[in-house]
Amino acid sequence: MTDADLSRFSINQETVKQWSLPELVEGCGKAGVARVGLWRAPVQEYGVERAARLVREAGLTVTSLCRGGFLTASEPGARAAALDDNRAAIDEAAALATPTLVLVSGGLPAGDRDLRGARERVADALAELAPYARERGVRLAIEPLHPMFASDRCVVSTLGQALDLAERFPVEEVGVVVDTYHVWWDDTAAARIARAGAAGPGGGRIAAFQLADWVTPLPAGVLLGRGQLGDGSVDLRRFRELVDAAGYDGPVEVEIFNEGLWARDGAEVLAEVVERYAAHAL
Amino acid sequence: MTDADLSRFSINQETVKQWSLPELVEGCGKAGVARVGLWRAPVQEYGVERAARLVREAGLTVTSLCRGGFLTASEPGARAAALDDNRAAIDEAAALATPTLVLVSGGLPAGDRDLRGARERVADALAELAPYARERGVRLAIEPLHPMFASDRCVVSTLGQALDLAERFPVEEVGVVVDTYHVWWDDTAAARIARAGAAGPGGGRIAAFQLADWVTPLPAGVLLGRGQLGDGSVDLRRFRELVDAAGYDGPVEVEIFNEGLWARDGAEVLAEVVERYAAHAL
């Protein structure tokens, strides 16, 4: 246990991927952590209803479910399958009683070089999914991913683009994710955070705030290059202050994909994350 | 030899790094290529004056010299050394009779998380270097690098940021580099190219235009991940049309750092680059 104020702290499941879902729940209890962000695959593996009961009975709040999205397919069959899968993700989020489904938009289809067209297909898909999500008490949260993922993972690369998409919909239906790892380099991020916050109370369009640090060299494939808080170049506290100033008072979720962390004892990693959170973000 | 219009084509030396400078000059002659972009290290190794004579006598035009920059140090000694090195780079550019010295700004000093401060130090350095360059007939060309290089290589990540810096100086002193690899993901790039072009005749602030394609997965360290033209996600022709529409009528330089290309025969690579250039950029 720590003396740090963990009232907004949430640990994303992927940060301690070495833990099974029951281990995560038990580990959070021991560490005094009351909020978790979950991922679909481990939840499905454990059973959605069973997972929902496990976290509920442990008194844990699920701050977000990662992730829906991958909505850029142009081929009709692939597109219909993606929409079906996203409706399932919305159902899972509702079952877990989390208000937030994180969406990673998807990259360019093979051979396609039209980023703008792909972004428009994301908008079209949001129009189909947003009412379904709203009926189930779930808000879609568009996560801009770092531009290095633009071709293969997410054609939405900046908070500005995410807001351009989100603002086509009511604020209670579609928000954005502010993840320091993805936006730290962007000199327009501060203004975009303010713009997101101006959309309403409680942070407006800011549906989730996630922390990870930027460290180099990047590993091959770059996906698992996220750094432990404090190890890198991101002024984490400044971003926490920016979302706070925008009116956001929701969870601060730590999401780090890092093979070095996964190779260690889960409880040790969680304790270190808590300590770093207090030192660098509070 | 090819039928393609190579009147604007320039091969950046680093694309055929397996070639020595004399091999490059000879290979360009055989391929009907009249323009080259050079790098400081191989030029220095060969001897600056000797290199200048070699390319001049072969009738080659040097479209740019890569690179100066790395101007973000805050420690006074390191800062003075960087300025000295950039004055040397300007002298070398002048000796090679190229009008364009490409500047890569530099990353964050160790332990520093203040991107804005680092960008301001770049501006301060430009103010010291621009008059020196102008006296020697060289324009400083700020190259925004992809945001994945923001911490360790270049704190200037977008054309917008590069223009914000350049516009503090006369258009004939400081311009920007448009490199498709670095800016392709940015939905504001088209507007920025137009803004650069509006600064004057001949493309205004556009001091150089470089082509490389974006391919994944990125290799470890990501520096050598640039793709052969046509192999990736970038709509190269659209960018060529954008710079043209902005009034730019200068060289189109192909700059690809790729170990796969370096492992092959230089003449074969140059022929392939020319063919891809004609197919994807003309």
Side-chain angles (χ1 to χ4, degrees), chain A residues 113 119 161 185 187 218 221, chain B residues 119 161 185 187 218 221 230:
Chain A
R113 297 188 173 99
R119 289 173 186 141
Q161 291 171 356
W185 59 271
D187 63 346
L218 292 164
Chain B
R119 289 173 187 140
Q161 291 170 355
W185 58 272
D187 63 346
L218 291 163

Side-chain angles (χ1 to χ4, degrees), chain B residues 172-261:
Chain B
E172 59 274 22
E173 287 186 5
V174 182
V176 300
V177 180
V178 178
D179 182 321
T180 58
Y181 189 75
H182 296 304
V183 308
W184 77 280
W185 58 272
D186 183 356
D187 63 346
T188 72
R192 304 293 188 244
I193 289 170
R195 170 177 152 199
R205 296 269 173 195
I206 304 173
F209 175 52
Q210 297 182 323
L211 298 177
D213 214 334
W214 178 270
V215 292
T216 56
L218 291 163
V222 306
L223 185 62
L224 306 184
R226 296 167 73 110
Q228 171 65 284
L229 311 185
D231 281 353
S233 305
V234 183
D235 189 342
L236 299 165
R237 182 171 292 109
R238 173 170 172 263
F239 277 98
R240 201 265 303 150
E241 290 170 351
L242 285 170
V243 297
D244 285 3
Y248 180 75
D249 53 6
V252 181
E253 199 176 297
V254 178
E255 185 187 55
I256 307 171
F257 316 147
N258 184 300
E259 290 184 324
L261 295 184

Side-chain angles (χ1 to χ4, degrees), chain A:
Chain A
M1 298 287 262
T2 170
D3 291 340
D5 175 7
L6 296 186
S7 59
R8 296 174 71 188
F9 177 84
S10 175
I11 186 73
N12 185 285
Q13 173 171 30
E14 200 74 359
T15 308
V16 281
K17 188 183 179 167
Q18 60 273 56
W19 268 346
S20 67
L21 198 54
E23 287 170 336
L24 174 70
V25 169
E26 187 188 346
C28 284
K30 286 183 180 167
V33 170
R35 294 158 179 252
V36 292
L38 297 181
W39 278 68
R40 292 184 70 197
V43 165
Q44 289 169 347
E45 194 185 327
Y46 190 77
V48 177
E49 291 304 331
R50 195 168 158 233
R53 193 164 53 245
L54 180 72
V55 295
R56 191 173 59 240
E57 291 177 355
L60 282 171
T61 298
V62 181
T63 51
S64 72
L65 180 64
C66 287
R67 60 185 190 215
F70 293 87
L71 298 165
T72 50
S74 43
E75 191 274 311
R79 184 160 180 76
L83 290 170
D84 282 347
D85 185 55
N86 276 274
R87 281 184 281 263
I90 292 163
D91 293 341
E92 290 158 23
L96 294 164
T98 180
T100 306
L101 176 64
V102 174
L103 298 186
V104 172
S105 297
L108 287 170
D112 190 334
R113 297 188 173 99
D114 179 9
L115 280 172
R116 186 158 41 179
R119 289 173 186 141
E120 279 308 308
R121 290 196 295 282
V122 174
D124 293 346
L126 290 172
E128 293 213 32
L129 296 171
Y132 186 90
R134 183 178 190 158
E135 285 168 17
R136 285 153 186 80
V138 175
R139 181 154 69 153
L140 304 176
I142 306 169
E143 179 163 17
L145 257 54
H146 192 284
M148 70 187 176
F149 296 115
S151 71
D152 58 356
R153 198 167 290 268
C154 188
V155 294
V156 177
S157 302
T158 63
L159 274 175
Q161 291 171 356
L163 285 169
D164 287 345
L165 283 168
E167 288 167 357
R168 303 187 192 190
F169 304 92
V171 65
E172 59 273 23
E173 288 186 5
V174 182
V176 300
V177 180
V178 178
D179 182 321
T180 57
Y181 188 75
H182 296 304
V183 307
W184 77 279
W185 59 271
D186 183 357
D187 63 346
T188 71
R192 304 293 188 246
I193 289 170
R195 169 177 153 199
R205 297 268 173 197
I206 304 173
F209 176 52
Q210 297 181 323
L211 297 178
D213 214 335
W214 179 270
V215 293
T216 56
L218 292 164
V222 306
L223 186 61
L224 306 184
R226 296 166 75 110
Q228 172 64 286
L229 312 185
D231 282 354
S233 304
V234 183
D235 189 342
L236 299 166
R237 182 171 291 109
R238 173 170 172 263
F239 277 97
R240 200 264 304 150
E241 289 170 351
L242 285 170
V243 297
D244 285 3
Y248 179 75
D249 53 7
V252 181
E253 197 175 299
V254 178
E255 184 187 55
I256 307 171
F257 316 147
N258 183 302
E259 290 184 324
L261 295 184
W262 295 339
R264 292 165 52 191
D265 174 69
E268 178 189 309
V269 171
L270 180 55
E272 184 180 273
V273 167
V274 165
E275 175 205 322
R276 298 296 187 92
Y277 168 80
H280 296 280
L282 280 185

